[in-house]
Short mmCIF file of all heavy atoms in Angstrom, two decimals:
data_model
loop_
_atom_site.label_atom_id
_atom_site.label_comp_id
_atom_site.label_asym_id
_atom_site.label_seq_id
_atom_site.Cartn_x
_atom_site.Cartn_y
_atom_site.Cartn_z
N MET O 1 44.55 39.76 -37.42
CA MET O 1 43.30 40.29 -36.67
C MET O 1 42.59 39.13 -35.81
O MET O 1 42.19 39.42 -34.75
CB MET O 1 42.47 40.88 -37.69
CG MET O 1 41.17 41.55 -37.19
SD MET O 1 41.82 42.98 -36.21
CE MET O 1 40.30 43.67 -35.86
N LYS O 2 42.67 37.93 -36.40
CA LYS O 2 42.14 36.85 -35.83
C LYS O 2 42.75 36.54 -34.45
O LYS O 2 42.17 36.30 -33.42
CB LYS O 2 42.11 35.59 -36.57
CG LYS O 2 41.01 35.31 -37.51
CD LYS O 2 41.22 34.02 -38.11
CE LYS O 2 40.35 33.68 -39.18
NZ LYS O 2 40.48 32.33 -39.69
N HIS O 3 44.07 36.66 -34.43
CA HIS O 3 44.92 36.27 -33.23
C HIS O 3 44.58 37.32 -32.21
O HIS O 3 44.62 36.95 -31.02
CB HIS O 3 46.40 36.21 -33.55
CG HIS O 3 46.71 35.13 -34.57
ND1 HIS O 3 46.50 33.84 -34.25
CD2 HIS O 3 47.06 35.15 -35.90
CE1 HIS O 3 46.90 33.11 -35.27
NE2 HIS O 3 47.13 33.88 -36.25
N VAL O 4 44.43 38.61 -32.52
CA VAL O 4 44.25 39.69 -31.61
C VAL O 4 42.82 39.44 -30.96
O VAL O 4 42.79 39.54 -29.71
CB VAL O 4 44.30 41.02 -32.31
CG1 VAL O 4 43.82 42.12 -31.25
CG2 VAL O 4 45.75 41.36 -32.61
N LEU O 5 41.75 39.16 -31.81
CA LEU O 5 40.60 38.90 -31.28
C LEU O 5 40.47 37.61 -30.18
O LEU O 5 39.87 37.78 -29.16
CB LEU O 5 39.54 38.68 -32.37
CG LEU O 5 38.15 38.42 -32.00
CD1 LEU O 5 37.62 39.62 -31.27
CD2 LEU O 5 37.19 38.11 -33.30
N LEU O 6 41.19 36.66 -30.62
CA LEU O 6 41.26 35.36 -29.87
C LEU O 6 42.03 35.76 -28.47
O LEU O 6 41.70 35.31 -27.43
CB LEU O 6 42.03 34.21 -30.46
CG LEU O 6 41.26 33.55 -31.57
CD1 LEU O 6 42.20 32.53 -32.22
CD2 LEU O 6 40.10 32.83 -30.97
N GLY O 7 43.01 36.60 -28.59
CA GLY O 7 43.74 37.00 -27.44
C GLY O 7 42.90 37.75 -26.36
O GLY O 7 42.85 37.57 -25.17
N VAL O 8 42.04 38.68 -27.02
CA VAL O 8 41.10 39.48 -26.14
C VAL O 8 40.11 38.63 -25.57
O VAL O 8 39.78 38.83 -24.39
CB VAL O 8 40.49 40.63 -27.11
CG1 VAL O 8 39.43 41.40 -26.32
CG2 VAL O 8 41.54 41.63 -27.45
N VAL O 9 39.53 37.73 -26.31
CA VAL O 9 38.51 36.88 -25.71
C VAL O 9 39.04 36.02 -24.64
O VAL O 9 38.52 35.78 -23.54
CB VAL O 9 37.92 35.93 -26.79
CG1 VAL O 9 37.06 34.85 -26.28
CG2 VAL O 9 37.06 36.76 -27.76
N ALA O 10 40.28 35.50 -24.86
CA ALA O 10 40.86 34.57 -23.76
C ALA O 10 41.17 35.39 -22.52
O ALA O 10 40.93 34.99 -21.31
CB ALA O 10 42.24 33.94 -24.32
N LEU O 11 41.64 36.66 -22.72
CA LEU O 11 41.87 37.44 -21.57
C LEU O 11 40.58 37.89 -20.81
O LEU O 11 40.55 37.79 -19.55
CB LEU O 11 42.70 38.81 -22.03
CG LEU O 11 42.96 39.77 -20.90
CD1 LEU O 11 44.07 39.15 -20.06
CD2 LEU O 11 43.56 41.09 -21.56
N ALA O 12 39.57 38.11 -21.55
CA ALA O 12 38.28 38.51 -20.97
C ALA O 12 37.68 37.27 -20.09
O ALA O 12 37.23 37.42 -18.92
CB ALA O 12 37.22 38.87 -22.00
N LEU O 13 37.79 36.07 -20.66
CA LEU O 13 37.39 34.88 -20.04
C LEU O 13 38.21 34.54 -18.76
O LEU O 13 37.64 34.18 -17.70
CB LEU O 13 37.35 33.65 -20.99
CG LEU O 13 36.32 33.66 -22.08
CD1 LEU O 13 36.52 32.43 -23.04
CD2 LEU O 13 34.91 33.71 -21.42
N SER O 14 39.47 34.77 -18.88
CA SER O 14 40.28 34.45 -17.75
C SER O 14 39.98 35.50 -16.55
O SER O 14 40.16 35.14 -15.37
CB SER O 14 41.76 34.43 -18.02
OG SER O 14 42.09 35.73 -18.45
N ALA O 15 39.60 36.74 -16.92
CA ALA O 15 39.32 37.71 -15.87
C ALA O 15 38.03 37.29 -15.18
O ALA O 15 37.78 37.81 -14.04
CB ALA O 15 39.18 39.12 -16.66
N CYS O 16 37.15 36.65 -15.86
CA CYS O 16 35.77 36.31 -15.23
C CYS O 16 35.90 34.94 -14.37
O CYS O 16 34.88 34.86 -13.63
CB CYS O 16 34.85 36.00 -16.37
SG CYS O 16 34.47 37.50 -17.39
N SER O 17 36.90 34.20 -14.40
CA SER O 17 36.98 33.15 -13.56
C SER O 17 37.24 33.43 -12.13
O SER O 17 37.83 34.42 -11.83
CB SER O 17 38.08 32.22 -14.05
OG SER O 17 39.35 32.81 -13.91
N PRO O 18 36.54 32.64 -11.24
CA PRO O 18 36.74 32.95 -9.80
C PRO O 18 38.09 32.74 -9.37
O PRO O 18 38.91 31.85 -9.89
CB PRO O 18 35.83 31.98 -9.16
CG PRO O 18 35.67 30.73 -10.14
CD PRO O 18 35.80 31.40 -11.52
N ARG O 19 38.61 33.55 -8.48
CA ARG O 19 39.95 33.48 -7.96
C ARG O 19 40.01 32.17 -6.96
O ARG O 19 39.13 31.81 -6.22
CB ARG O 19 40.26 34.68 -7.08
CG ARG O 19 40.57 35.94 -7.82
CD ARG O 19 41.12 36.96 -6.91
NE ARG O 19 41.42 38.09 -7.81
CZ ARG O 19 41.77 39.27 -7.30
NH1 ARG O 19 42.09 39.31 -5.93
NH2 ARG O 19 42.16 40.24 -8.21
N ALA O 20 41.12 31.60 -7.10
CA ALA O 20 41.39 30.39 -6.32
C ALA O 20 41.55 30.82 -4.74
O ALA O 20 42.33 31.77 -4.51
CB ALA O 20 42.58 29.61 -6.80
N GLU O 21 41.10 30.12 -3.88
CA GLU O 21 41.01 30.35 -2.53
C GLU O 21 42.58 29.93 -2.05
O GLU O 21 42.91 28.79 -2.49
CB GLU O 21 39.97 29.63 -1.78
CG GLU O 21 40.10 29.94 -0.30
CD GLU O 21 38.92 29.19 0.44
OE1 GLU O 21 38.10 28.62 -0.18
OE2 GLU O 21 38.94 29.33 1.78
N LYS O 22 43.14 30.60 -1.20
CA LYS O 22 44.46 30.30 -0.65
C LYS O 22 44.19 29.08 0.27
O LYS O 22 43.34 29.05 1.14
CB LYS O 22 45.04 31.50 0.09
CG LYS O 22 46.35 31.09 0.73
CD LYS O 22 47.11 32.22 1.43
CE LYS O 22 48.33 31.93 1.96
NZ LYS O 22 48.90 30.80 2.28
N VAL O 23 45.04 28.09 0.02
CA VAL O 23 44.97 26.85 0.84
C VAL O 23 46.10 26.95 1.94
O VAL O 23 47.15 27.18 1.79
CB VAL O 23 45.28 25.69 0.00
CG1 VAL O 23 45.25 24.32 0.88
CG2 VAL O 23 44.25 25.45 -1.09
N TYR O 24 45.55 26.84 3.28
CA TYR O 24 46.41 26.91 4.37
C TYR O 24 46.73 25.61 4.82
O TYR O 24 46.02 24.63 4.70
CB TYR O 24 45.70 27.74 5.47
CG TYR O 24 45.37 29.07 5.21
CD1 TYR O 24 44.07 29.53 4.67
CD2 TYR O 24 46.27 30.06 5.33
CE1 TYR O 24 43.62 30.78 4.48
CE2 TYR O 24 46.00 31.44 5.09
CZ TYR O 24 44.71 31.71 4.64
OH TYR O 24 44.38 33.08 4.35
N THR O 25 48.06 25.56 5.28
CA THR O 25 48.54 24.22 5.69
C THR O 25 48.11 23.88 7.09
O THR O 25 47.63 24.99 7.79
CB THR O 25 50.13 24.04 5.59
OG1 THR O 25 50.54 24.97 6.59
CG2 THR O 25 50.60 24.28 4.14
N VAL O 26 48.19 22.75 7.62
CA VAL O 26 47.82 22.43 9.01
C VAL O 26 48.68 23.27 9.94
O VAL O 26 48.29 23.89 10.80
CB VAL O 26 48.16 21.09 9.30
CG1 VAL O 26 47.82 20.66 10.85
CG2 VAL O 26 46.96 20.19 8.56
N ASP O 27 50.13 23.38 9.60
CA ASP O 27 50.89 24.20 10.52
C ASP O 27 50.52 25.73 10.41
O ASP O 27 50.67 26.37 11.46
CB ASP O 27 52.37 24.00 10.03
CG ASP O 27 52.93 22.61 10.36
OD1 ASP O 27 52.36 21.96 11.31
OD2 ASP O 27 53.85 22.22 9.61
N ASP O 28 50.15 26.20 9.31
CA ASP O 28 49.76 27.65 9.18
C ASP O 28 48.57 27.74 10.14
O ASP O 28 48.45 28.85 10.89
CB ASP O 28 49.19 27.98 7.82
CG ASP O 28 50.31 28.01 6.82
OD1 ASP O 28 51.47 28.33 7.10
OD2 ASP O 28 49.99 27.89 5.59
N LEU O 29 47.70 26.82 10.21
CA LEU O 29 46.40 27.06 11.08
C LEU O 29 46.70 26.89 12.49
O LEU O 29 46.02 27.46 13.37
CB LEU O 29 45.31 26.09 10.52
CG LEU O 29 44.78 26.37 9.13
CD1 LEU O 29 43.92 25.18 8.56
CD2 LEU O 29 44.08 27.66 9.05
N VAL O 30 47.53 25.87 12.78
CA VAL O 30 47.89 25.80 14.28
C VAL O 30 48.64 26.91 14.74
O VAL O 30 48.38 27.45 15.93
CB VAL O 30 48.94 24.54 14.38
CG1 VAL O 30 49.52 24.49 15.79
CG2 VAL O 30 48.15 23.25 14.18
N ALA O 31 49.38 27.64 13.94
CA ALA O 31 50.13 28.90 14.34
C ALA O 31 49.09 30.08 14.44
O ALA O 31 49.41 31.01 15.23
CB ALA O 31 51.19 29.29 13.25
N ASP O 32 47.99 30.10 13.81
CA ASP O 32 47.04 31.24 13.68
C ASP O 32 45.69 30.73 14.06
O ASP O 32 44.84 30.30 13.34
CB ASP O 32 46.91 31.88 12.29
CG ASP O 32 46.21 33.18 12.25
OD1 ASP O 32 45.43 33.42 13.27
OD2 ASP O 32 46.38 33.88 11.30
N GLU O 33 45.46 30.67 15.53
CA GLU O 33 44.23 30.11 15.89
C GLU O 33 42.98 30.88 15.58
O GLU O 33 41.92 30.39 15.47
CB GLU O 33 44.25 29.90 17.47
CG GLU O 33 45.21 28.77 17.86
CD GLU O 33 45.13 28.37 19.24
OE1 GLU O 33 44.09 28.14 19.77
OE2 GLU O 33 46.22 28.24 19.94
N ALA O 34 43.25 32.22 15.39
CA ALA O 34 41.90 33.07 14.92
C ALA O 34 41.48 32.67 13.59
O ALA O 34 40.32 32.47 13.23
CB ALA O 34 42.39 34.57 14.98
N LEU O 35 42.47 32.39 12.73
CA LEU O 35 42.25 32.05 11.24
C LEU O 35 41.55 30.67 11.32
O LEU O 35 40.67 30.30 10.59
CB LEU O 35 43.55 32.01 10.41
CG LEU O 35 43.31 31.47 8.94
CD1 LEU O 35 42.39 32.39 8.24
CD2 LEU O 35 44.73 31.42 8.32
N LEU O 36 42.05 29.72 12.15
CA LEU O 36 41.59 28.40 12.23
C LEU O 36 40.07 28.42 12.74
O LEU O 36 39.26 27.77 12.09
CB LEU O 36 42.44 27.63 13.34
CG LEU O 36 41.88 26.22 13.76
CD1 LEU O 36 41.87 25.29 12.49
CD2 LEU O 36 42.83 25.60 14.81
N ALA O 37 39.73 29.20 13.69
CA ALA O 37 38.46 29.44 14.15
C ALA O 37 37.54 29.93 13.10
O ALA O 37 36.48 29.33 12.93
CB ALA O 37 38.33 30.26 15.37
N LYS O 38 37.96 30.88 12.27
CA LYS O 38 37.13 31.34 11.31
C LYS O 38 36.79 30.46 10.10
O LYS O 38 35.70 30.17 9.66
CB LYS O 38 37.94 32.53 10.70
CG LYS O 38 37.22 33.13 9.40
CD LYS O 38 38.11 34.30 8.81
CE LYS O 38 37.39 34.72 7.46
NZ LYS O 38 38.30 34.59 6.39
N ILE O 39 37.82 29.57 9.78
CA ILE O 39 37.75 28.54 8.75
C ILE O 39 36.82 27.41 9.24
O ILE O 39 35.88 26.99 8.55
CB ILE O 39 39.01 27.98 8.19
CG1 ILE O 39 39.79 29.08 7.48
CG2 ILE O 39 38.94 26.83 7.34
CD1 ILE O 39 41.16 28.79 7.04
N ILE O 40 37.06 27.02 10.52
CA ILE O 40 36.17 25.90 11.11
C ILE O 40 34.68 26.47 11.14
O ILE O 40 33.91 25.64 10.82
CB ILE O 40 36.70 25.37 12.52
CG1 ILE O 40 37.94 24.67 12.30
CG2 ILE O 40 35.66 24.71 13.27
CD1 ILE O 40 38.46 24.21 13.57
N ASP O 41 34.51 27.63 11.49
CA ASP O 41 33.08 28.23 11.58
C ASP O 41 32.49 28.18 10.16
O ASP O 41 31.30 27.69 10.07
CB ASP O 41 33.09 29.63 12.14
CG ASP O 41 31.77 30.14 12.41
OD1 ASP O 41 30.94 29.43 13.09
OD2 ASP O 41 31.47 31.29 12.01
N GLU O 42 33.25 28.58 9.26
CA GLU O 42 32.71 28.55 7.80
C GLU O 42 32.37 27.11 7.33
O GLU O 42 31.34 26.95 6.73
CB GLU O 42 33.68 29.14 6.80
CG GLU O 42 33.89 30.68 7.13
CD GLU O 42 35.02 31.31 6.20
OE1 GLU O 42 35.70 30.55 5.48
OE2 GLU O 42 35.23 32.52 6.27
N CYS O 43 33.29 26.30 7.60
CA CYS O 43 33.14 24.83 7.14
C CYS O 43 31.94 24.18 7.98
O CYS O 43 31.12 23.46 7.21
CB CYS O 43 34.42 24.11 7.46
SG CYS O 43 35.73 24.63 6.55
N ARG O 44 31.71 24.37 9.11
CA ARG O 44 30.67 23.85 9.98
C ARG O 44 29.24 24.47 9.62
O ARG O 44 28.34 23.92 9.80
CB ARG O 44 30.88 23.87 11.41
CG ARG O 44 32.15 22.99 11.71
CD ARG O 44 32.44 22.90 13.23
NE ARG O 44 33.53 22.01 13.41
CZ ARG O 44 34.13 21.82 14.58
NH1 ARG O 44 33.85 22.59 15.63
NH2 ARG O 44 35.22 21.04 14.67
N ASN O 45 29.34 25.81 9.18
CA ASN O 45 28.05 26.46 8.76
C ASN O 45 27.54 25.95 7.33
O ASN O 45 26.46 26.21 7.00
CB ASN O 45 28.15 27.84 8.85
CG ASN O 45 28.10 28.40 10.23
OD1 ASN O 45 27.44 27.87 11.09
ND2 ASN O 45 28.80 29.53 10.50
N ASN O 46 28.48 25.38 6.55
CA ASN O 46 28.14 25.00 5.24
C ASN O 46 28.80 23.69 4.85
O ASN O 46 29.69 23.65 3.93
CB ASN O 46 28.59 26.13 4.19
CG ASN O 46 27.89 25.87 2.88
OD1 ASN O 46 27.25 24.96 2.60
ND2 ASN O 46 28.26 26.66 1.94
N PRO O 47 28.55 22.60 5.57
CA PRO O 47 29.26 21.32 5.44
C PRO O 47 29.04 20.65 4.09
O PRO O 47 29.89 20.02 3.47
CB PRO O 47 28.90 20.49 6.61
CG PRO O 47 27.50 21.11 6.98
CD PRO O 47 27.50 22.50 6.72
N GLY O 48 27.81 20.80 3.53
CA GLY O 48 27.49 20.14 2.30
C GLY O 48 28.48 20.60 1.08
O GLY O 48 28.65 19.87 0.22
N GLU O 49 28.72 21.95 1.17
CA GLU O 49 29.51 22.57 0.01
C GLU O 49 31.03 22.49 0.40
O GLU O 49 31.84 22.43 -0.55
CB GLU O 49 28.98 23.94 -0.15
CG GLU O 49 29.48 24.53 -1.52
CD GLU O 49 28.86 25.90 -1.79
OE1 GLU O 49 27.58 25.99 -1.70
OE2 GLU O 49 29.57 26.85 -2.09
N LEU O 50 31.29 22.74 1.63
CA LEU O 50 32.75 22.98 2.01
C LEU O 50 33.52 21.88 2.56
O LEU O 50 34.71 21.91 2.73
CB LEU O 50 32.84 24.18 2.83
CG LEU O 50 32.41 25.45 2.30
CD1 LEU O 50 32.41 26.55 3.39
CD2 LEU O 50 33.16 25.92 1.13
N ARG O 51 32.75 20.70 2.91
CA ARG O 51 33.32 19.73 3.78
C ARG O 51 34.62 19.02 3.04
O ARG O 51 35.60 18.76 3.72
CB ARG O 51 32.31 18.44 3.94
CG ARG O 51 32.99 17.40 4.72
CD ARG O 51 31.88 16.24 4.90
NE ARG O 51 30.66 16.67 5.22
CZ ARG O 51 29.49 16.21 4.69
NH1 ARG O 51 29.56 15.30 3.81
NH2 ARG O 51 28.41 16.64 5.16
N GLY O 52 34.59 18.87 1.70
CA GLY O 52 35.70 18.32 1.05
C GLY O 52 36.79 19.28 0.62
O GLY O 52 37.76 18.76 0.11
N SER O 53 36.67 20.51 1.04
CA SER O 53 37.69 21.54 0.58
C SER O 53 38.96 21.30 1.31
O SER O 53 38.93 20.92 2.45
CB SER O 53 37.22 22.88 0.70
OG SER O 53 37.05 23.34 2.11
N PRO O 54 40.12 21.66 0.67
CA PRO O 54 41.43 21.47 1.45
C PRO O 54 41.45 22.30 2.65
O PRO O 54 41.99 21.81 3.67
CB PRO O 54 42.40 21.97 0.37
CG PRO O 54 41.71 21.88 -0.85
CD PRO O 54 40.27 22.01 -0.66
N ASN O 55 40.90 23.38 2.65
CA ASN O 55 41.07 24.17 3.90
C ASN O 55 40.21 23.66 5.00
O ASN O 55 40.69 23.67 6.17
CB ASN O 55 40.61 25.67 3.63
CG ASN O 55 41.72 26.55 3.10
OD1 ASN O 55 42.84 26.31 3.27
ND2 ASN O 55 41.41 27.60 2.42
N CYS O 56 39.02 23.12 4.76
CA CYS O 56 38.30 22.51 5.84
C CYS O 56 38.91 21.28 6.28
O CYS O 56 39.01 20.95 7.45
CB CYS O 56 36.89 22.16 5.21
SG CYS O 56 35.79 23.65 5.00
N GLN O 57 39.36 20.52 5.41
CA GLN O 57 40.08 19.28 5.94
C GLN O 57 41.38 19.64 6.78
O GLN O 57 41.64 19.01 7.74
CB GLN O 57 40.48 18.35 4.72
CG GLN O 57 39.41 17.88 4.02
CD GLN O 57 39.76 17.12 2.72
OE1 GLN O 57 40.89 17.17 2.33
NE2 GLN O 57 38.83 16.35 2.21
N ASN O 58 42.15 20.63 6.31
CA ASN O 58 43.37 21.07 6.99
C ASN O 58 42.92 21.65 8.42
O ASN O 58 43.62 21.40 9.47
CB ASN O 58 44.12 21.99 6.27
CG ASN O 58 44.86 21.34 5.09
OD1 ASN O 58 44.92 20.09 5.06
ND2 ASN O 58 45.45 22.08 4.22
N ALA O 59 41.82 22.41 8.41
CA ALA O 59 41.38 22.94 9.72
C ALA O 59 40.96 21.96 10.64
O ALA O 59 41.24 22.01 11.82
CB ALA O 59 40.21 24.03 9.33
N GLU O 60 40.24 20.93 10.23
CA GLU O 60 39.87 19.80 11.12
C GLU O 60 41.10 19.18 11.73
O GLU O 60 41.18 18.77 12.74
CB GLU O 60 38.84 18.83 10.51
CG GLU O 60 37.58 19.45 10.13
CD GLU O 60 36.65 19.83 11.37
OE1 GLU O 60 36.98 19.28 12.53
OE2 GLU O 60 35.82 20.61 11.26
N ALA O 61 42.00 18.90 10.86
CA ALA O 61 43.36 18.22 11.27
C ALA O 61 44.07 19.18 12.33
O ALA O 61 44.55 18.64 13.28
CB ALA O 61 44.24 17.95 9.95
N ALA O 62 44.09 20.45 12.04
CA ALA O 62 44.78 21.30 13.01
C ALA O 62 44.08 21.49 14.29
O ALA O 62 44.68 21.45 15.40
CB ALA O 62 44.89 22.76 12.24
N ASP O 63 42.70 21.47 14.16
CA ASP O 63 41.97 21.46 15.47
C ASP O 63 42.24 20.24 16.19
O ASP O 63 42.34 20.40 17.50
CB ASP O 63 40.37 21.63 15.06
CG ASP O 63 39.62 21.84 16.34
OD1 ASP O 63 39.93 22.63 17.14
OD2 ASP O 63 38.65 21.14 16.48
N GLY O 64 42.27 19.11 15.63
CA GLY O 64 42.65 17.80 16.31
C GLY O 64 43.96 17.83 16.82
O GLY O 64 44.13 17.48 18.09
N LYS O 65 44.96 18.38 16.16
CA LYS O 65 46.28 18.51 16.69
C LYS O 65 46.39 19.42 17.91
O LYS O 65 46.99 19.07 18.89
CB LYS O 65 47.18 18.92 15.60
CG LYS O 65 48.56 19.01 15.80
CD LYS O 65 49.49 19.54 14.64
CE LYS O 65 50.85 19.37 14.81
NZ LYS O 65 51.68 19.72 13.60
N LEU O 66 45.70 20.54 17.76
CA LEU O 66 45.72 21.51 19.03
C LEU O 66 45.12 20.87 20.28
O LEU O 66 45.46 20.98 21.33
CB LEU O 66 45.10 22.76 18.63
CG LEU O 66 45.89 23.74 17.77
CD1 LEU O 66 45.00 24.89 17.28
CD2 LEU O 66 47.09 24.24 18.48
N ARG O 67 43.90 20.11 20.07
CA ARG O 67 43.19 19.57 21.13
C ARG O 67 44.23 18.35 21.76
O ARG O 67 44.23 18.45 22.97
CB ARG O 67 41.90 18.71 20.62
CG ARG O 67 40.85 19.78 20.28
CD ARG O 67 39.67 18.93 19.79
NE ARG O 67 38.77 19.91 19.20
CZ ARG O 67 37.66 20.21 19.75
NH1 ARG O 67 37.24 19.57 20.84
NH2 ARG O 67 36.68 21.01 19.13
N LEU O 68 44.88 17.66 20.94
CA LEU O 68 45.89 16.72 21.52
C LEU O 68 47.02 17.26 22.43
O LEU O 68 47.34 16.87 23.44
CB LEU O 68 46.36 15.74 20.53
CG LEU O 68 45.53 14.65 19.91
CD1 LEU O 68 46.09 14.00 18.73
CD2 LEU O 68 45.18 13.63 21.02
N GLU O 69 47.47 18.42 21.83
CA GLU O 69 48.54 19.23 22.56
C GLU O 69 48.03 19.80 23.87
O GLU O 69 48.72 19.64 24.90
CB GLU O 69 49.08 20.38 21.66
CG GLU O 69 49.77 19.88 20.50
CD GLU O 69 50.33 21.07 19.60
OE1 GLU O 69 50.15 22.21 20.08
OE2 GLU O 69 50.93 20.72 18.54
N ARG O 70 46.70 20.25 23.89
CA ARG O 70 46.32 20.72 25.09
C ARG O 70 45.98 19.65 26.12
O ARG O 70 46.19 19.89 27.28
CB ARG O 70 44.93 21.47 24.79
CG ARG O 70 45.13 22.79 24.14
CD ARG O 70 43.84 23.48 23.92
NE ARG O 70 43.95 24.61 23.05
CZ ARG O 70 43.28 24.89 21.93
NH1 ARG O 70 42.41 24.00 21.53
NH2 ARG O 70 43.50 25.85 21.10
N MET O 71 45.53 18.48 25.62
CA MET O 71 45.33 17.39 26.59
C MET O 71 46.64 16.90 27.15
O MET O 71 46.75 16.57 28.36
CB MET O 71 44.63 16.21 25.90
CG MET O 71 43.19 16.43 25.59
SD MET O 71 42.55 15.14 24.51
CE MET O 71 42.98 13.64 25.20
N ARG O 72 47.71 16.93 26.36
CA ARG O 72 48.98 16.50 26.92
C ARG O 72 49.50 17.34 27.97
O ARG O 72 50.20 17.11 29.03
CB ARG O 72 50.08 16.38 25.76
CG ARG O 72 49.83 15.13 24.91
CD ARG O 72 50.91 14.97 23.90
NE ARG O 72 50.61 13.90 22.90
CZ ARG O 72 50.51 14.22 21.64
NH1 ARG O 72 50.84 15.39 21.10
NH2 ARG O 72 50.25 13.12 20.92
N LYS O 73 49.24 18.79 27.77
CA LYS O 73 49.67 19.76 28.70
C LYS O 73 48.90 19.83 29.94
O LYS O 73 49.28 20.44 31.01
CB LYS O 73 49.78 21.24 28.07
CG LYS O 73 50.64 21.22 26.96
CD LYS O 73 50.75 22.70 26.36
CE LYS O 73 51.82 22.66 25.10
NZ LYS O 73 51.73 23.96 24.49
N SER O 74 47.73 19.28 29.96
CA SER O 74 46.76 19.53 31.11
C SER O 74 47.19 18.57 32.18
O SER O 74 47.93 17.46 31.94
CB SER O 74 45.33 19.25 30.73
OG SER O 74 45.22 17.90 30.50
N PRO O 75 47.04 18.94 33.42
CA PRO O 75 47.31 18.00 34.62
C PRO O 75 46.58 16.71 34.50
O PRO O 75 45.44 16.75 34.29
CB PRO O 75 46.92 18.80 35.80
CG PRO O 75 46.52 20.20 35.36
CD PRO O 75 46.29 20.13 33.86
N GLY O 76 47.31 15.73 34.70
CA GLY O 76 46.70 14.32 34.62
C GLY O 76 46.55 13.93 33.17
O GLY O 76 45.92 12.75 32.89
N GLY O 77 47.11 14.67 32.18
CA GLY O 77 46.94 14.20 30.69
C GLY O 77 48.09 13.70 30.16
O GLY O 77 48.54 12.86 29.77
#
């Protein structure tokens, strides 16, 4: 009976834990500019809480990568 009770408590606690946010790679974000813009907007609107998150760091890296690619393609770049 103790084991069943412990199992139920463990299951209930795991159901209450927050879901882990999907972490996008830099390449994922470069390929999906709408998603990139959404993540950058969220990160810049709440930098104190989100600045160190993997998605914010990857979004900034992807944004920098896209800017460099655009500069190389522009005339005179």
Side-chain angles (χ1 to χ4, degrees):
M1 185 67 175
K2 273 188 190 178
H3 298 289
V4 172
L5 182 60
L6 287 174
V8 170
V9 169
L11 182 63
L13 289 175
S14 67
C16 293
S17 62
R19 287 190 175 179
E21 182 179 356
K22 181 178 183 330
V23 176
Y24 296 98
T25 65
V26 173
D27 290 334
D28 291 339
L29 295 170
V30 167
D32 188 347
E33 290 190 45
L35 177 62
L36 173 61
K38 177 183 170 237
I39 292 174
I40 286 179
D41 187 48
E42 290 171 2
C43 295
R44 290 182 180 166
N45 283 329
N46 191 0
E49 192 173 313
L50 299 175
R51 181 183 312 138
S53 74
N55 276 337
C56 288
Q57 292 176 349
N58 289 347
E60 289 295 336
D63 186 48
K65 187 174 182 178
L66 284 172
R67 287 174 191 254
L68 284 174
E69 287 177 10
R70 287 184 193 123
M71 285 174 47
R72 286 186 189 126
K73 290 179 183 178
S74 69

